[in-house]
Amino acid sequence: MDSPISPLELNTTDLALKGFKVYAVDHLCTMKPQLSRRDYYKVTLMTTKSRLHYAHESLELDGTYLFFTNPHIPYTMERLGEEDQGYACLFTEEFIKSLDRSESLQHSPFFKIGSTPLFPLNEEQARFMRNIFQKMLEEQQANYAFKGELIRTYIQLVIHEALHLEPAKTFFQPRNASSRLASLFLEVLEQLFPLENPQETLPLKTAQEFADRLSVHVNHLNRAVKEVTGKPTSTHITNRITDEAKALLQHTNWSVAEIAYSLGFAYPTYFNNFFKKHTGYTPLAFRKAA
């Protein structure tokens, strides 16, 4: 399996490409699989003979695939053949901020929890995808002033092509109760966003409210989410609210008070304290720096 790359390593790849890295790989797998989580999003184009372990599921692969992963779900790949080859594209949430208001991204395998992240490719599809990854590699090394914007466009193209493809539906259907419940929670959470206008208010904000929506006891929900994702329910909620707050501060002209109320805070002061605690910035400081 390719070595994990930290957000810090991504950030130092190139000043114009902060939070992004694309590279060719000739070893995707490990002989000793161990599920692990990353802090970044990743799309891999791979020709491989291996066993993929994704959350609580496993599948043997033999061919060329497009595989999307996000920070929520742990995975690893176990080598079965002699060689693997392909490309990997990693990026942080920050890198695609200019895309995160787009409808296609919200419905992509990156963010639509519960959707299928694995797509088998025929030779024509694989050739097309290789070309996109090769272009991203070229742009990563180029001196073009707007290469970050161009690479974001390539990522969008990969997403749209994936949305056209037939996913491996028979595999990625949650099979145990914990997987099903965690997937439902994450899907309900993602469906709350993006907020489209200042009059819209976040309807769910606590683990108890999500448990009520899903008609389960909050302790049952917390156990399932922690078991599958490794993170508490409250952490997922907090992270998603923080991400939405960042997007609203950067991409809208809503006042801090309007953003606070939309995100479910009774007073702007509560929102200011929450945002500073989780980002290190006040909302106004973050907006000025963005």
Side-chain angles (χ1 to χ4, degrees):
M1 181 169 58
D2 48 299
S3 301
I5 295 179
S6 70
L8 179 61
E9 290 175 282
L10 290 178
N11 291 345
T12 57
T13 301
D14 188 299
L15 289 177
L17 290 176
K18 185 177 180 180
F20 171 86
K21 184 177 181 66
V22 61
Y23 55 96
V25 290
D26 56 8
H27 58 289
L28 294 155
C29 309
T30 178
M31 296 302 291
K32 297 180 179 179
Q34 181 177 1
L35 291 180
S36 58
R37 297 171 183 82
R38 286 81 175 164
D39 294 323
Y40 47 78
Y41 294 88
K42 180 178 180 181
V43 56
T44 306
L45 176 65
M46 55 188 180
T47 300
T48 182
K49 185 173 183 180
S50 60
R51 183 177 293 112
L52 172 63
H53 304 279
Y54 184 83
H56 294 288
E57 312 293 342
S58 296
L59 177 69
E60 291 195 6
L61 309 180
D62 189 2
T64 301
Y65 303 84
L66 194 64
F67 181 45
F68 294 83
T69 58
N70 64 55
H72 299 303
I73 308 297
Y75 76 93
T76 191
M77 293 177 64
E78 179 184 1
R79 184 185 305 153
L80 299 178
E82 293 299 319
E83 292 185 9
D84 302 295
Q85 59 180 340
Y87 299 90
C89 169
L90 299 84
F91 49 88
T92 62
E93 184 87 19
E94 298 294 315
F95 181 74
I96 51 169
K97 268 188 172 179
S98 62
L99 297 180
D100 69 5
R101 312 300 292 176
S102 76
E103 187 71 14
S104 61
L105 195 68
Q106 294 299 323
H107 288 83
S108 76
F110 285 129
F111 294 109
K112 191 171 177 59
I113 306 301
S115 65
T116 298
L118 183 72
F119 299 83
L121 305 179
N122 61 35
E123 185 51 45
E124 182 180 354
Q125 293 164 339
R127 188 164 48 246
F128 181 79
M129 287 295 180
R130 287 190 199 102
N131 186 49
I132 296 176
F133 277 86
Q134 288 164 1
K135 287 182 180 296
M136 285 195 283
L137 268 174
E138 292 169 5
E139 290 301 328
Q140 182 172 259
Q141 303 302 322
N143 295 319
Y144 180 48
F146 304 105
K147 63 181 179 179
E149 183 177 344
L150 181 55
I151 286 175
R152 290 183 186 93
T153 300
Y154 285 137
I155 292 173
Q156 276 283 48
L157 182 56
V158 171
I159 289 170
H160 282 288
E161 287 301 314
L163 293 175
H164 278 296
L165 296 174
E166 183 70 22
K169 293 179 181 177
T170 56
F171 169 59
F172 288 105
Q173 298 295 326
R175 293 180 185 176
N176 64 39
S178 293
S179 294
R180 287 194 296 272
L181 183 53
S183 294
L184 282 172
F185 160 71
L186 291 168
E187 187 166 1
V188 169
L189 175 63
E190 202 58 45
Q191 287 172 351
L192 301 180
F193 304 96
L195 298 174
E196 300 291 353
N197 62 74
Q199 288 72 47
E200 190 177 355
T201 304
L202 200 62
L204 306 172
K205 193 182 171 189
T206 67
Q208 183 63 63
E209 290 170 342
F210 278 91
D212 292 343
R213 172 68 66 87
L214 296 170
S215 301
V216 297
H217 194 281
V218 66
N219 292 343
H220 182 34
L221 175 63
N222 286 334
R223 281 195 301 270
V225 172
K226 183 70 181 290
E227 177 187 337
V228 174
T229 72
K231 298 178 183 178
T233 308
S234 57
T235 298
H236 286 285
I237 297 169
T238 295
N239 290 347
R240 193 59 186 88
I241 290 175
T242 302
D243 289 342
E244 184 68 7
K246 289 178 180 179
L248 292 172
L249 287 165
Q250 186 173 22
H251 300 301
T252 75
N253 60 0
W254 300 8
S255 69
V256 171
E258 288 175 325
I259 294 172
Y261 293 136
S262 290
L263 291 174
F265 293 90
Y267 301 100
T269 303
Y270 294 172
F271 171 62
N272 288 350
N273 293 340
F274 170 90
F275 192 82
K276 187 169 184 180
K277 177 181 178 181
H278 295 289
T279 68
Y281 295 90
T282 66
L284 286 178
F286 179 86
R287 175 168 269 173
K288 289 178 181 178

